[in-house]
Amino acid sequence: MPDHPRQPPDGMPEVAVQERRLRRDLGFWALTAIGFSNIVGSGWLFAAMYAARTAGPASLLTWVGAGLLCGLVALVMIELGASRPEGGGTVRWPLYASGRLVGTLVGWSVLLSVGGTAAEISAIMQYANHYLPGLYNGHTLSTKGLAVAIALSTALTALNWFAVRTFARLNNLLSAFKIIMPIVTVAALLASGWHSGRLTDHGGFAPYGYAACLSALAGGGVVYSVNGFQAPLDFSGEARHPRRTIPASVLTGIGLALLMYLALQLAFLFTVPESLLGHGWQGVNFESPFGQLALIFNLHWLSTLLYADAVVSPGGSAYVGVAIDARHTYALAKNGTIPRFFMQVSRRNGIPHPALALNLAVIIVFLLPIGGWQRIVSIMGDMYLLIYAASAVAVAVFRAEPGSRMAGWVPGLRWIAPVSFVVASEFIYWSGWHDLRLALPLVLGGLLIFLVMRRSSPEERPLSAELRTGAWLIVYLLALTVLSWLGSFKGSGRLPAPYDSLAVAGAALGIFYWAVRAGVGQRRPDGARSAEGR
């Protein structure tokens, strides 16, 4: 059962029965492999090039910055996962802390973020196009490509249909391959084509300015590439000894992935041929970056392995992503955001089958209107960062409760939580107006779901009470939208750098303390009680 300080007095059986059906079969190595495999997907195949095109050699700083973000947010979420282990916890914590309105909007953004799995499928198609021409029309999937992508999505869902122990064993094999291939790639490329002076030539270390490092975080795919470290937390309801294994597995996965990404970025920067840098780093453009570099150096064996890994790495990440999405959807059903039918867990193997089927439908929908890896990842990175911001509020609310039973695993949460919220807000803002004008209105569309839920459930609290508790998130989304339009990151430029980022930090800090006060001040909301208990 979920371990949280406040148990509802009624409505326990339905949620409790489904939660007990989850199999607690995952140990430290299985959880670490889940986190690492979810982080290392299509990002390692593409992000080094996109980051270099956006920021040049200064892209190395972008990876370090992304690692710091992951570290801050991970500490917040580790404390939550260790204190309140539960299947799909990232969806449940905002509901507990801030009530039905926030829980619904965050839950809706989580459902939309299922499209991140579509990004992995898109990456597989982009590399498969090397062997099966005609999968793409320009930068969008052709009819043939869409059919192949749907078939692959269906196959990944089918592989997740069985017991969690079977899932973990297959993922361990995929993770081992995903560690070996980047190591071989870096070693082979550096041995074949080292060009000295790359950190200072062609415009210097930061040819497009240090502000470009910020743009590369989302637009260059870096945020998306390091995202996924929270995966073990969503399996905390299926982990053995979660208070011990979750913190270590999350941090180990982040550390391994960050070292790998830095090595890949260095390999890319030092091995791109001089002939391709006539127009600077922005002029470098490969359809399959490392695979084409291998061919340039006549490393045909490496190219063959890379094109094979182009299916294995994103496929492995998508495989884990499908499993995580199912836990999210399961948690949304527990929240009452979607019908309770999707909360059902198989008695035979402990898997939420209806949730898997729903996520397959969402993945297919996401493949239809949006083509191209970079476009998908920019939008999905924004969705995930909103979840991280909501978790920072949740940990501060739980910590401030009288008689709090927080694990105390992370020292310094008093300052880590607000800093994590501010940094997550900055990363959302830095992704630029071009993406936020789509992402933030999509999240606000969850208001319609909230209103429909209120009409269908007589147990909900008065609307005025929900607004007192959750209005901060609406104001937060609107403030980010306005500041993005005013700012210098693909906005109108009316608010120049660095004042735009300072304005975002100030607004975020104020909204964070408002959100915490509102969460601490509320009594346990009836809506949260029913969602948690039934």
Side-chain angles (χ1 to χ4, degrees):
M1 287 183 57
D3 181 15
H4 48 73
R6 298 176 296 184
Q7 296 285 0
D10 55 3
M12 283 293 292
E14 186 177 353
V15 167
V17 167
Q18 301 303 326
E19 193 77 9
R20 288 193 184 100
R21 289 179 182 171
L22 297 174
R23 306 289 176 80
R24 287 162 173 76
D25 290 331
L26 301 177
F28 166 75
W29 288 113
L31 290 167
T32 299
I34 287 171
F36 180 82
S37 187
N38 198 44
I39 295 171
V40 182
S42 57
W44 90 266
L45 299 168
F46 294 94
M49 182 188 72
Y50 286 131
R53 290 180 60 186
T54 303
S59 55
L60 293 168
L61 298 180
T62 299
W63 288 107
V64 173
L68 292 175
L69 169 70
C70 285
L72 281 170
V73 178
L75 290 175
V76 166
M77 300 187 79
I78 282 170
E79 182 70 19
L80 287 169
S83 302
R84 307 167 72 94
E86 180 173 1
T90 55
V91 177
R92 297 285 274 170
W93 300 325
L95 174 70
Y96 296 158
S98 300
R100 175 69 65 189
L101 175 58
V102 171
T104 301
L105 290 177
V106 172
W108 170 241
S109 71
V110 168
L111 190 60
L112 290 173
S113 71
V114 171
T117 304
E120 302 300 334
I121 303 297
S122 175
I124 295 170
M125 294 298 101
Q126 195 166 334
Y127 265 78
N129 195 55
H130 177 79
Y131 295 109
L132 299 172
L135 296 180
Y136 272 83
N137 289 326
H139 295 290
T140 59
L141 287 168
S142 64
T143 302
K144 175 184 175 182
L146 182 61
V148 174
I150 291 173
L152 180 57
S153 303
T154 304
L156 291 171
T157 300
L159 287 172
N160 267 284
W161 205 260
F162 306 103
V164 69
R165 183 175 295 177
T166 304
F167 157 78
R169 287 172 177 170
L170 179 55
N171 183 63
N172 287 343
L173 294 175
L174 293 171
S175 297
F177 187 78
K178 291 167 74 170
I179 290 173
I180 293 170
M181 273 308 303
I183 293 174
V184 171
T185 299
V186 169
L189 290 179
L190 290 178
S192 302
W194 177 274
H195 297 278
S196 61
R198 282 297 175 79
L199 297 183
T200 55
D201 296 342
H202 305 286
F205 183 72
Y208 313 115
Y210 285 96
C213 298
L214 307 180
S215 298
L217 286 167
V222 173
V223 167
Y224 177 80
S225 297
V226 297
N227 182 43
F229 62 86
Q230 80 284 355
L233 295 158
D234 285 308
F235 285 85
S236 60
E238 296 157 270
R240 298 192 300 268
H241 314 297
R243 286 179 172 81
R244 183 171 69 248
T245 55
I246 291 293
S249 63
V250 171
L251 293 178
T252 301
I254 291 173
L256 290 174
L258 185 59
L259 287 174
M260 188 201 72
Y261 280 125
L262 284 170
L264 287 164
Q265 188 68 60
L266 282 168
F268 186 84
L269 291 171
F270 280 99
T271 58
V272 171
E274 285 288 337
S275 59
L276 299 180
L277 290 169
H279 299 286
W281 292 103
Q282 290 180 342
V284 178
N285 190 19
F286 294 112
E287 289 186 3
S288 305
F290 289 111
Q292 288 177 253
L293 278 175
L295 289 176
I296 289 173
F297 296 124
N298 292 317
L299 300 172
H300 294 279
W301 62 270
L302 178 60
S303 178
T304 300
L305 287 176
L306 283 168
Y307 278 104
D309 187 70
V311 174
V312 175
S313 280
S317 189
Y319 178 52
V320 174
V322 168
I324 295 170
D325 295 339
R327 274 68 182 175
H328 286 163
T329 302
Y330 161 77
L332 289 174
K334 287 199 293 184
N335 285 1
T337 304
I338 59 177
R340 295 286 182 176
F341 167 76
F342 295 105
M343 184 177 65
Q344 300 301 310
V345 176
S346 169
R347 290 185 178 90
R348 182 177 180 181
N349 52 34
I351 300 294
H353 288 160
L356 274 171
L358 176 61
N359 289 146
L360 174 61
V362 175
I363 290 169
I364 292 172
V365 169
F366 239 103
L367 286 169
L368 295 175
I370 301 179
W373 184 86
Q374 193 175 16
R375 187 70 178 139
I376 296 175
V377 302
S378 294
I379 296 175
M380 289 307 99
D382 300 335
M383 299 293 187
Y384 270 107
L385 286 166
L386 179 61
I387 298 168
Y388 298 157
S391 295
V393 171
V395 78
V397 170
F398 298 150
R399 180 180 176 277
E401 287 179 333
S404 173
R405 288 172 52 192
M406 297 300 286
W409 195 91
V410 179
L413 274 178
R414 181 184 298 274
W415 65 267
I416 290 175
V419 171
S420 175
F421 186 89
V422 169
V423 173
S425 303
E426 295 286 9
F427 273 62
I428 295 172
Y429 170 72
W430 291 331
S431 64
W433 170 245
H434 188 60
D435 292 327
L436 294 185
R437 65 180 181 177
L438 299 175
L440 298 182
L442 276 174
V443 176
L444 285 171
L447 285 172
L448 296 176
I449 298 176
F450 169 72
L451 294 174
V452 169
M453 287 169 55
R454 288 188 57 79
R455 291 175 61 88
S456 62
S457 177
E459 301 178 9
E460 298 295 342
R461 294 194 308 162
L463 180 60
S464 59
E466 284 292 354
L467 288 176
R468 283 195 300 272
T469 305
W472 67 266
L473 183 55
I474 298 175
V475 174
Y476 177 69
L477 293 171
L478 292 175
L480 285 176
T481 302
V482 171
L483 288 170
S484 180
W485 175 71
L486 290 172
S488 61
F489 288 84
K490 302 178 183 178
S492 64
R494 289 177 171 84
L495 187 60
Y499 302 106
D500 52 349
S501 295
L502 292 174
V504 170
L509 197 61
I511 291 172
F512 172 81
Y513 287 110
W514 170 21
V516 173
R517 284 197 302 270
V520 172
Q522 69 162 340
R523 296 181 61 184
R524 187 169 191 79
D526 293 340
R529 179 186 301 124
S530 61
E532 193 175 332
R534 286 204 307 258

